[in-house]
Amino acid sequence: MTIGDILKGCEGMSFGLHNTASIPDDIIKATDFQGAVIDSRKVEKGNLFFAIKGENTDGHKYINKAFESGAAAVIAEHLPEGEEPKGPVVLVEDTQKALAQIAAAYRKTLDIPIIGITGSVGKTTAKEMTAAVLSEKFCVQKTAGNFNNELGMPLTLLSIGPEHQAAVVEMGINHFGEMDRMAQVARPDIFVITNIGPCHLEFLGDLHGVLKAKTEGLKYMADGAPLIINADDEELYSLKSGGAPGEDLAGKTSPVFFALDRRQDAAFYAENLKSFGAEGMSFTLCETSGDTGEGERLDNVRIQLSGSHMVYNALAAACVGKVLGMELSDIAVGLSKANTVAGHGTFEKAGNITLMNDCYNANPASMKASLKVLSECEGYRIAVLGDMGELGADEISLHEEVGEYAAGFDIDAVFMSGELCAHMAEAFRRKNKGNNLVYEKDKESIIRRLTELINSKKNDPLTVLVKASHFMGFDTVVKEILI
């Protein structure tokens, strides 16, 4: 894209260079950029830098720093104060809005399949697995880390280069309207929804609200486009007609189902699940075909991630591969190579400790899944649990539900911290005498008590799960364990 393309993309808003009212025509036509960033520290030669006003800093302070690092152009709401810009600046009313507009304009120039991935749980891992599968056949671009919001998603689109043959774009939301805006920009050719669970209920109300918010973008897909969804999820299975709830979209998309148990309407299902604890899972990957439902089967498919919830993510990735014409054997190879982003159930080793780092975020479904994985691990098992956020009016009962669930497992030591976890701890004690439970309101006390236990078992193999919503800052607990 050139500056001329950018100006068209953001509705021809005003622009300036060296405190003048215009950019020379030769620069407008010739200046090309590759990739876009919002962090001046990450600018590389040829990047487009968006000066965003954030909570902690204002990108407008770093316009010239961006040029010094090689930025081809800058999108900003005003010129840098007290100094002339050292390169072309496109002035807009709202930088974030311009980012979405420019990404949307660039998306229209792409002729590769764009796979959008969302869901209450597992979307980051499903994104990583899908990218790993597709990489067996295509040159793939994917969302970096967890950069899945209204800033990260358009930046992912703008990072797609001429070498890429497919892109996997994660789309995370917690309010109504966000998916609509993101899908209008991304216009996915294939859309994956992993599941619908009790998350962001503070803003979305209930499971029906979660489903409605996640499916807002279906109207931006081409007629008959594949919608890959979990058939074991009751909310998602209601989309079997291809439409979004409450909207006249029947037949808009073409549902492609996956499931854990054999069912004729599932493109893929899994059998013979076997857990290897921290070493991952194996299963038989089963494809359905024709009226009989019988299709190709592949035994002993291995994934590096643990838990049946990870098998769901693998099946979603297999569906994408099938839609794009991949062979079952290549799909299995891709799945065997897949891993996920740190903090999403990854395992790390530190001496006698195997750490299950799952502290990026938490809701009842993901916390239950992580506890089940921990129960299948070897050695002395320790769970360190913190509050789950954005659960709305039912936050207390949902914490109690997880507490009762945790008490049903033979876990050697359970640590809980946070105001809401007080209710989780009470429920745990009601079902289990709680002799293996330590509750502290503050995180520092939990770290101290946990450290004491770990030090007392230096000669024993330990598996430690750390799980909480991001606002709890349990990454500090992870750091203490890994010291």
Side-chain angles (χ1 to χ4, degrees):
M1 297 182 76
T2 66
I3 291 179
D5 297 324
I6 293 167
L7 289 169
K8 292 177 184 177
C10 55
E11 300 177 348
M13 296 181 183
S14 59
F15 50 93
L17 175 67
H18 298 305
N19 290 331
T20 64
S22 64
I23 302 174
D25 286 344
D26 59 337
I27 294 180
I28 288 177
K29 295 177 181 178
T31 302
D32 196 9
F33 77 90
Q34 294 182 347
V37 294
I38 59 173
D39 187 336
S40 62
R41 296 167 297 183
K42 297 180 180 179
V43 171
E44 297 180 357
K45 186 173 177 58
N47 282 170
L48 182 62
F49 174 66
F50 286 84
I52 300 285
K53 292 180 180 178
E55 294 181 3
N56 301 316
T57 189
D58 185 348
H60 292 81
K61 297 179 181 179
Y62 308 102
I63 289 175
N64 278 337
K65 180 181 177 183
F67 282 125
E68 291 167 2
S69 298
V74 169
I75 311 297
E77 294 171 14
H78 58 79
L79 296 174
E81 296 180 5
E83 55 182 340
E84 289 190 2
K86 297 180 179 179
V89 178
V90 175
L91 295 179
V92 297
E93 293 181 4
D94 185 322
T95 310
Q96 184 168 334
K97 180 181 177 181
L99 170 59
Q101 291 172 329
I102 293 167
Y106 184 58
R107 166 65 181 97
K108 293 176 182 178
T109 71
L110 300 173
D111 60 356
I112 65 173
I114 305 293
I115 299 93
I117 295 187
T118 194
S120 296
V121 181
K123 54 186 171 290
T124 297
T125 303
K127 176 257 300 183
E128 293 293 327
M129 285 188 163
T130 301
V133 166
L134 296 185
S135 293
E136 293 301 305
K137 181 177 180 179
F138 306 98
C139 178
V140 179
Q141 182 59 300
K142 64 180 181 180
T143 299
N146 312 297
F147 216 26
N148 61 12
N149 60 15
E150 289 192 77
L151 289 175
M153 189 279 300
L155 289 173
T156 299
L157 291 177
L158 291 171
S159 72
I160 298 171
E163 71 277 15
H164 294 124
Q165 300 168 304
V168 186
V169 180
E170 183 180 343
M171 304 165 75
I173 63 153
N174 57 14
H175 286 78
F176 290 111
E178 290 178 332
M179 183 60 73
D180 185 288
R181 293 190 293 272
M182 284 199 284
Q184 191 173 4
V185 174
R187 297 185 180 271
D189 301 290
I190 301 169
F191 199 44
V192 178
I193 310 179
T194 59
N195 46 55
I196 299 296
C199 63
H200 313 305
L201 299 183
E202 179 181 353
F203 311 115
L204 303 179
D206 55 20
L207 291 183
H208 297 300
V210 176
L211 177 65
K212 183 178 180 180
K214 295 288 186 184
T215 56
E216 285 175 343
L218 296 188
K219 58 181 171 288
Y220 299 110
M221 299 180 69
D223 289 345
L227 172 63
I228 295 172
I229 47 181
N230 184 345
D232 291 340
D233 186 297
E234 291 184 9
E235 295 289 338
L236 286 177
Y237 195 64
S238 70
L239 302 178
K240 56 184 177 292
S241 65
E247 296 187 29
D248 185 18
L249 293 176
K252 171 66 176 176
T253 61
S254 178
V256 178
F257 294 116
F258 59 91
L260 275 192
D261 297 323
R262 185 183 186 279
R263 50 190 302 161
Q264 191 168 328
D265 60 356
F268 280 107
Y269 63 95
E271 291 183 342
N272 306 319
L273 274 66
K274 183 177 180 181
S275 173
F276 300 98
E279 302 303 318
M281 302 280 294
S282 72
F283 59 95
T284 299
L285 180 61
C286 307
E287 182 181 17
T288 59
S289 178
D291 295 334
T292 65
E294 298 298 330
E296 189 177 353
R297 298 167 60 91
L298 197 59
D299 292 325
N300 296 316
V301 174
R302 287 293 299 261
I303 58 174
Q304 299 180 45
L305 302 166
S306 299
S308 59
H309 59 301
M310 295 299 185
V311 178
Y312 274 119
N313 295 329
L315 293 170
C319 286
V320 177
K322 179 178 180 178
V323 166
L324 293 179
M326 293 185 63
E327 298 292 332
L328 204 62
S329 57
D330 291 333
I331 290 172
V333 171
L335 290 175
S336 71
K337 297 177 181 178
N339 214 317
T340 191
V341 176
H344 290 258
T346 50
F347 284 92
E348 303 172 51
K349 296 286 291 185
N352 65 319
I353 299 172
T354 300
L355 172 68
M356 186 178 173
N357 182 357
D358 206 0
C359 67
Y360 178 75
N361 222 333
N363 57 46
S366 66
M367 193 166 277
K368 288 178 181 179
S370 296
L371 286 164
K372 186 174 186 301
V373 172
L374 176 65
S375 72
E376 297 168 348
C377 292
E378 297 180 352
Y380 191 91
R381 292 161 294 186
I382 304 171
V384 186
L385 311 177
D387 290 354
M388 302 176 289
E390 297 184 0
L391 294 180
D394 295 329
E395 61 181 7
I396 291 176
S397 62
L398 289 170
H399 278 80
E400 290 174 338
E401 181 182 308
V402 172
E404 291 182 5
Y405 184 83
F409 289 113
D410 184 20
I411 297 172
D412 299 287
V414 179
F415 292 79
M416 298 182 185
S417 178
E419 293 184 8
L420 290 170
C421 267
H423 304 285
M424 189 187 292
E426 290 176 8
F428 185 96
R429 290 192 179 101
R430 284 196 298 267
K431 188 169 182 179
N432 178 312
K433 292 183 180 180
N435 295 330
N436 59 337
L437 173 66
V438 175
Y439 171 77
E440 296 283 357
K441 185 175 181 180
D442 63 285
K443 182 174 55 182
E444 290 70 27
S445 296
I446 281 291
I447 290 174
R448 176 176 54 80
R449 298 283 297 275
L450 175 64
T451 302
E452 290 173 356
L453 176 60
I454 289 175
N455 288 339
S456 71
K457 295 188 173 296
K458 288 185 176 180
N459 297 321
D460 301 326
L462 308 179
T463 302
V464 184
L465 163 68
V466 181
K467 180 73 174 173
S469 281
H470 190 63
F471 74 90
M472 290 293 290
F474 267 35
D475 52 331
T476 58
V477 179
V478 169
K479 291 176 183 176
E480 287 294 327
I481 294 172
L482 294 177
I483 290 176

